[in-house]
């Protein structure tokens, strides 16, 4: 297994991720989290696996210094970011200068990697004490729950494995309990957590996500830090401090 790159299907990826209600909602909820959690002042921030730079652009426009990286040259060629954003192609583990940054963003990347645990270990080793990691990952528990709701019982019985991997489907969803164990053993302190898209992906009528987006957003904001709802987020967000 290799790390996933979206070279060759960059346009399809961008449309699927950013051109839908699920992409818009994920981005907005992560913006909410960072608006709440980032320390005050101008920060030096690097985004690992940042895709087309939607989040990097958001933070750069708030006055922070941003560096955007991604494994895919095709994806980066589509990035529309402010001139101040430093952009370069790199896989996560080849980025060695993480100690130069106050904040590391790693959003929806782990589930596309051959060895997500090794990626976390790399970040823990290279980041400096006192810096922060904003981490999100595709939630395996939520994926199982969703497939049960949809009646995909055979798929669940196969361990949610497909015979032919679709390149736009995450290779390996991760359980919150597993990632929590990994990060704590690596020396990260969990300062905050929340679910991302706790309700959107379970709507019986998917059209409601677009037709009543603002009401859905308000509901997500109200409950995404509360148990049991946060555990159902299709993505899970951890705000981690390097000790």
């Amino acid at each position: 297994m290799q790390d996933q790159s979206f070279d060759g299907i960059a346009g399809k990826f961008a449309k699927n991720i950013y051109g839908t209600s699920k992409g818009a909602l994920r981005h907005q909820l992560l913006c909410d989290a960072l608006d709440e959690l980032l320390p005050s002042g101008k920060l030096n921030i690097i985004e690992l696996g940042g895709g087309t730079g939607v989040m990097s652009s958001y933070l750069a426009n708030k006055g922070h210094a941003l560096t955007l990286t991604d494994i895919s040259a095709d994806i980066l060629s589509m990035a529309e970011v402010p001139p101040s954003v430093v952009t370069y192609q790199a896989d996560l583990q080849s980025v060695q200068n993480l100690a130069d940054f106050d904040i590391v963003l790693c959003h929806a990347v782990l589930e596309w990697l051959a060895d997500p645990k090794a990626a976390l270990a790399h970040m823990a080793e290279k980041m400096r004490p006192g810096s922060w990691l904003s981490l999100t990952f595709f939630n395996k528990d939520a994926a199982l729950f969703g497939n049960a709701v949809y009646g995909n019982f055979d798929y669940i019985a196969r361990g949610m494995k497909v015979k032919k991997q679709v390149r736009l489907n995450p290779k390996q969803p991760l359980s919150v309990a597993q990632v929590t164990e990994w990060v704590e053993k690596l020396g990260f302190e969990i300062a905050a957590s929340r679910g991302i898209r706790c309700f959107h992906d379970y709507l019986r009528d998917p059209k409601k996500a677009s037709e009543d987006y603002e009401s859905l957003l308000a509901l997500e904001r109200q409950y995404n830090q509360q148990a049991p709802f946060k555990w159902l987020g299709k993505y899970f967000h951890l705000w981690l401090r390097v000790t």
Side-chain angles (χ1 to χ4, degrees), residues 22-61:
K22 65 180 181 181
L25 191 63
R26 186 178 79 179
H27 175 67
Q28 182 59 64
L29 293 169
L30 283 173
C31 289
D32 289 350
L34 293 177
D35 287 345
E36 176 186 327
L37 296 168
L38 284 176
S40 60
K42 180 178 179 179
L43 300 166
N44 195 16
I45 302 173
I46 185 169
E47 185 172 17
L48 304 175
T52 59
V54 176
M55 182 59 76
S56 285
S57 295
Y58 175 77
L59 294 172
N61 287 330

Side-chain angles (χ1 to χ4, degrees), residues 147-220:
N147 277 285
V149 170
Y150 310 145
N152 298 329
F153 306 128
D154 290 343
Y155 176 63
I156 294 173
R158 296 196 303 270
M160 298 193 293
K161 302 292 185 182
V162 294
K163 294 181 180 179
K164 184 177 181 181
Q165 180 69 40
V166 178
R167 290 183 72 188
L168 288 178
N169 286 347
K171 290 185 175 184
Q172 46 183 335
L174 299 163
S175 74
V176 175
Q178 180 67 85
V179 175
T180 297
E181 179 182 342
W182 286 347
V183 297
E184 289 181 335
K185 286 184 176 179
L186 287 168
F188 289 104
E189 174 192 345
I190 300 175
S193 64
R194 70 185 69 199
I196 303 295
R197 295 204 327 249
C198 301
F199 302 107
H200 173 282
D201 295 58
Y202 309 110
L203 292 175
R204 294 180 66 181
D205 181 1
K207 295 192 298 295
K208 294 288 288 183
S210 299
E211 294 172 354
D212 206 358
Y213 179 84
E214 291 302 324
S215 295
L216 175 60
L217 175 60
L219 191 69
E220 298 275 0

